[in-house]
Amino acid sequence: QVAQVVAAVLGVAAGYWAATRRGVFDVAFLGFSVLGLAVPVFFTGFVLKYVFAVRAGWLPPSGRADLSGFIPTPTGLTLLDSLLAGSGAAFAESLRYLTLPTIALTIIPFAVIFRLTRASVAETLQQDFIRTANSKGLRNPTIAGRHVLRNSLLPVITVIGLQAGGLFAGAVLTETVFNYRGLGQSMALAFSTRDYAVLQALIMLAAVLYLVINIVVDIAYALCDPRVRMP
């Protein structure tokens, strides 16, 4: 779920910035978001492989970092295992293999979150309580964090949870394109070999993860808006 975190953080930050500072930045990110929504994730993956792996040679084109001979791998998650082992070199190597799949999988949810955040922040800035906060002489960081962003995040948080389902679907294509061993590639392999037992287990796991993510989203929604908390 690295792509989920990256899309949420960058989407909210870019959406807030674009709504509060109209201009070239706003137009550029709007154009990028439209392009990101229009291009399929597998095509984006092939383009990224060609540009950054084949032509530039900056990043590995496919596969996953093999750290079994260098550090203990109790979890099988390379980033987490490198952090637990305290190995900066292993962490950097894991990031190199994870960069292109993460970018390909992040673009579509980033575009959705960015556009919704931008629209929500722009609407919040027109509310009376924002003008009241400005007239009271509150500092800009206080207005931005406590009043503008907190009230604008309510619909964004809901969409972030809904995007988790799309990420699971995109992971099947992305991990297949990059030959990255993960939940998506395992699901594609089980489907192609008609291994229904493994396929059912992976679908159940994806469903459980989707439920957990949406429970966390509901908790975050209640933290941002006291009106929806249970009495």
Side-chain angles (χ1 to χ4, degrees):
Q1 293 298 311
V2 176
Q4 177 91 350
V5 176
V6 173
V9 173
L10 295 183
V12 170
Y16 179 84
W17 186 276
T20 54
R21 294 170 176 82
R22 300 296 179 90
V24 177
F25 180 87
D26 184 25
V27 174
F29 267 88
L30 273 176
F32 177 79
S33 65
V34 172
L35 183 63
L37 289 171
V39 179
V41 63
F42 67 87
F43 181 79
T44 303
F46 282 121
V47 171
L48 290 174
K49 284 180 64 174
Y50 179 76
V51 173
F52 295 102
V54 177
R55 301 294 297 179
W58 295 342
L59 297 167
S62 60
R64 187 175 184 177
D66 186 7
L67 307 177
S68 57
F70 303 95
I71 61 172
T73 55
T75 67
L77 303 175
T78 55
L79 285 179
L80 181 58
D81 288 335
S82 60
L83 288 175
L84 294 176
S87 175
F91 185 79
E93 184 68 9
S94 301
L95 280 180
R96 289 184 69 248
Y97 280 87
L98 194 61
T99 299
L100 290 183
T102 300
I103 294 175
L105 198 56
T106 298
I107 290 177
I108 292 179
F110 165 81
V112 174
I113 295 170
F114 163 78
R115 293 173 68 88
L116 184 58
T117 303
R118 176 183 175 274
S120 183
V121 170
E123 182 181 356
T124 303
L125 288 173
Q126 304 301 319
Q127 300 299 317
D128 292 337
F129 64 87
I130 299 298
R131 287 191 288 268
T132 302
N134 284 315
S135 66
K136 290 167 62 177
L138 295 178
R139 295 182 301 172
N140 288 334
T142 302
I143 297 174
R146 183 176 297 179
H147 298 286
V148 178
L149 192 58
R150 188 170 182 178
N151 286 277
S152 302
L153 280 180
L154 301 182
V156 178
I157 290 174
T158 304
V159 170
I160 290 174
L162 296 176
Q163 287 294 312
L167 284 175
F168 287 133
V172 176
L173 298 173
T174 304
E175 292 179 5
T176 302
V177 169
F178 289 99
N179 193 27
Y180 192 89
R181 300 191 306 274
L183 183 63
Q185 189 189 50
S186 300
M187 191 175 297
L189 182 61
F191 182 81
S192 62
T193 58
R194 298 183 180 181
D195 193 343
Y196 297 116
V198 174
L199 189 60
Q200 289 175 349
L202 292 174
I203 291 174
M204 287 297 296
L205 177 60
V208 170
L209 291 175
Y210 184 77
L211 288 175
V212 170
I213 291 173
N214 278 275
I215 290 173
V216 174
V217 166
D218 289 339
I219 295 173
Y221 197 98
L223 291 175
C224 288
D225 189 356
R227 294 172 297 179
V228 302
R229 299 176 187 173
M230 296 294 291

